Structures are given as C-alpha cells and as structure tokens.
Amino acid sequence: MPSNSSSDQKKLLLELSQGSELAFTALYNQYKHIVYATALRITKSVIQSEEAVQDVFLKIWLSHQNLGEIDSFENYLFIISRNHIFNTIKKIARESTLMTEITSNDTLSDTDHGIKDDQYNIILNKIVQQLPPQQQKIYKMAKWEGLSHQKIGEDLGISTETVKKHMAQALKFIRHKISPYMNMFLSVLLFLKSGL
C-alpha cells in the first residue's frame, strides 16, 4: 500500500470532495496499480483490468462529494474494486454461456454473423455520435485511429489523465447504451438457433 500518512490522505480526500482534479489525479496515480493488479489477478485479462481501473476511478470521481467523510481510502477502494470486478465477471460469464450455446450451433452461417457485425457497427456508430464532442473525438482517436492516451493528449493539448477520464466516461456511456442491443442480438441468434 502507498506510504502516504493518514493526514496527507485525509487532505487529498477533502480536496477531492470539493472537486479538485489535482487531488483526483494524485489519488489515481497513487492507487491505480493496486486496482489493476487486483483485477489482473482475478480476471487474468489485461484489457478487463485496464477497464476496471477506468470504471473504478470513474465511480470514485462521480461520488467525490462524499469522500471527505471516509476514514480509510484503501478500504473504500478495495470494496469498490472487489464489487466491480466480481460484477464484471458475473456479467461476462452470463454472456459467455449464451455465446457458447449460439456459436456451437451449425445452423448459423457466416452470413448471419456478418449481418450481426454490420448491424452492431451501425448501432455503435450511432451511439458514438451521441457522445459529447470532446469524448467523441477522444474515443475515435483511441479506438478508430489506434492512438495512445499520451498521443491524444499531445494532439489535443490536454493532460493524459484528462484523456483517460474522458475515455472512461465514453466507454461507460457506450456500454450502457449498447447493452439493450446486445440482448436483442442474442435473442435473434437464439431464435435462429431454434429454427422457428
């Protein structure tokens, strides 16, 4: 665990509760590796672990007004991280079970998957268009152009931490908006599988 004294940590939490981005960045830099290591140990996935860091710290930022009352940030962070990681694992397990059932059936042709991919991309593009301008720009630069957070920050004249924060918010928005469609796609494929 980081060796900051409890008084320094309390000061950072108080500043963060008042909306200080500097305090947020300090706590993020201090604790991100702990969230990442915990997620990696449980999920064995670099991508899921990176997303866990973004999601956990986004939750912390969104509830920053309450952080001044917290006695132990380590305990608070552990609980949020643990809950988020296990919820993610449960969700992935449910989706994986459905997808295994679907893809194991020979009646689904490559054309069916091609149509699903095209429809998914159309819906994803529409959702991306709903993002605030800065988040949309950062998402496209990262996902479509393959630029690193550092390169995006340099190109846009903002800090890497700001890029990460925008990216985390964009990913959360997209996941929230696309979930109903994913369920719809799975329903359609299960319908095709049943041969009805």
Side-chain angles (χ1 to χ4, degrees):
M1 287 288 171
S3 59
N4 258 19
S5 73
S6 59
S7 62
D8 288 345
Q9 187 185 90
K10 196 73 181 168
K11 183 170 177 280
L12 275 178
L13 290 173
L14 186 60
E15 290 172 2
L16 178 53
S17 72
Q18 295 164 353
S20 167
E21 289 192 20
L22 285 175
F24 175 80
T25 301
L27 284 167
Y28 175 84
N29 288 333
Q30 202 174 339
Y31 291 99
K32 64 182 177 182
H33 65 282
I34 295 174
V35 178
Y36 179 84
T38 303
L40 188 62
R41 192 167 60 247
I42 296 169
T43 67
K44 312 288 190 240
S45 164
V46 169
I47 293 173
Q48 286 170 19
S49 300
E50 288 173 350
E51 288 190 356
V53 172
Q54 292 176 346
D55 289 341
V56 165
F57 278 94
L58 178 61
K59 284 180 184 177
I60 289 169
W61 174 254
L62 292 175
S63 61
H64 67 267
Q65 295 94 336
N66 306 319
L67 296 181
E69 303 162 11
I70 289 173
D71 291 325
S72 170
F73 183 71
E74 286 92 347
N75 290 344
Y76 177 77
L77 183 66
F78 172 77
I79 291 166
I80 288 183
S81 301
R82 181 196 60 192
N83 292 345
H84 174 77
I85 292 164
F86 285 126
N87 286 339
T88 300
I89 288 170
K90 283 190 274 189
K91 184 180 175 191
I92 290 168
R94 285 195 302 268
E95 290 172 357
S96 177
T97 302
L98 278 172
M99 289 309 293
T100 301
E101 288 178 17
I102 291 163
T103 53
S104 65
N105 192 287
D106 293 333
T107 60
L108 291 177
S109 68
D110 289 339
T111 307
D112 294 324
H113 290 296
I115 290 168
K116 178 179 174 287
D117 289 343
D118 288 344
Q119 290 172 334
Y120 176 85
N121 287 331
I122 288 167
I123 289 166
L124 177 61
N125 289 339
K126 285 182 181 175
I127 292 170
V128 169
Q129 296 302 322
Q130 296 172 34
L131 289 168
Q134 187 79 323
Q135 285 181 27
Q136 188 180 139
K137 189 184 298 181
I138 288 170
Y139 179 85
K140 288 178 178 178
M141 291 172 82
K143 296 293 187 181
W144 297 357
E145 298 173 34
L147 300 180
S148 69
H149 290 167
Q150 185 177 348
K151 176 71 172 131
I152 294 168
E154 288 168 3
D155 289 355
L156 298 180
I158 56 178
S159 73
T160 305
E161 298 306 325
T162 301
V163 171
K164 287 178 181 175
K165 198 158 62 173
H166 280 302
M167 193 65 187
Q169 290 168 337
L171 288 170
K172 181 170 182 163
F173 178 82
I174 289 167
R175 278 198 294 269
H176 173 71
K177 288 286 188 179
I178 213 160
S179 283
Y181 294 103
M182 291 306 293
N183 292 336
M184 179 187 75
F185 286 136
L186 290 171
S187 300
V188 168
L189 288 173
L190 286 169
F191 177 78
L192 289 170
K193 177 187 172 189
S194 71
L196 296 175

